[in-house]
Amino acid sequence: MTFAPAVLAAWEPSQRYPDPAVQSLDPSFNKCRLALAGVERLATGCRFNEGAVYFGDARCLLWSDIPNNRILRWDEETGRISIFRQPSNHANGNTRDRQGRLITCEHSGRRITRTEYDGAVTVLIDRFDGKPLNGTNDVVVKSDDTIWFTDPPSGISAIIWAWRPSRNCPSTCTGSIPRVGSPRW
């Protein structure tokens, strides 16, 4: 990790295609590579990014900056970066549901939330069998509206948090939230 700041400081956007920063580690990937794709730096000042989700209808990208406890927003039209939510309960994975709302895994919140159209945050799940979740990590919404997520203990055991709650599930925990209208929702 000591080389990362020097490498990042030396990064320059390419003015030519194919972008030399895009490299195939496995030649079989070359058939999937887009020759006109390039690497573009959208933001700096982040510590550990995950959970990028694109909102085509809003022409923006949201992503989690986990240690800085925030979700950031990049506006495609202006190129402006802003804070979408802070604190974010150390948000990690993000996706959209079938109605276009943001679904978020929260490490320190130990829950899955949905951001409503008006900005209100609804808790979808924070317990299983009466026990708190570990530290939800990744999430996807299936075509039948069920929400599938992982719940490993890594989200609550990281030393960057000021607290260490006990874990409740094995490290291979996965779960699903039934679709809207089902009895458990």
Side-chain angles (χ1 to χ4, degrees):
M1 295 299 289
T2 56
F3 71 91
V7 170
L8 295 175
W11 181 84
E12 290 286 332
S14 177
Q15 299 300 315
R16 65 183 184 89
Y17 294 103
D19 187 335
V22 178
Q23 298 178 9
S24 297
L25 300 179
D26 182 337
S28 66
F29 182 75
N30 286 335
K31 65 181 176 232
C32 302
R33 183 177 176 184
L34 299 174
L36 295 178
V39 176
E40 183 178 350
R41 179 183 287 175
L42 300 181
T44 59
C46 301
R47 291 178 54 203
F48 190 91
N49 298 319
E50 283 201 31
V53 59
Y54 182 67
F55 282 73
D57 49 343
R59 297 193 63 190
C60 72
L61 178 76
L62 300 179
W63 74 92
S64 299
D65 180 9
I66 303 169
N68 288 326
N69 197 17
R70 62 187 180 172
I71 299 174
L72 296 172
R73 181 184 191 274
W74 172 74
D75 184 278
E76 184 177 353
E77 292 181 24
T78 66
R80 182 174 177 262
I81 303 294
S82 59
I83 294 175
F84 178 78
R85 180 178 300 135
Q86 188 174 30
S88 68
N89 289 318
H90 299 97
N92 187 344
N94 296 291
T95 193
R96 292 183 80 178
D97 68 8
R98 307 281 294 165
Q99 292 73 43
R101 297 168 295 191
L102 177 67
I103 306 295
T104 301
C105 293
E106 298 179 1
H107 277 331
S108 58
R110 300 176 81 170
R111 62 190 189 171
I112 306 285
T113 60
R114 178 178 63 217
T115 303
E116 307 296 344
Y117 299 120
D118 64 1
V121 176
T122 301
V123 176
L124 299 179
I125 188 170
D126 62 358
R127 298 185 162 285
F128 181 75
D129 284 343
K131 296 178 182 176
L133 298 176
N134 288 318
T136 57
N137 189 53
D138 293 309
V139 63
V140 65
V141 177
K142 192 176 167 187
S143 59
D144 67 359
D145 284 328
T146 55
I147 299 171
W148 292 82
F149 63 95
T150 59
D151 186 37
S154 57
I156 59 171
S157 62
I159 59 172
I160 57 175
W161 317 149
W163 51 277
R164 285 184 184 242
S166 61
R167 75 181 201 187
N168 296 303
C169 296
S171 61
T172 56
C173 275
T174 59
S176 70
I177 303 171
R179 65 177 190 229
V180 176
S182 73
R184 288 187 60 204
W185 189 261

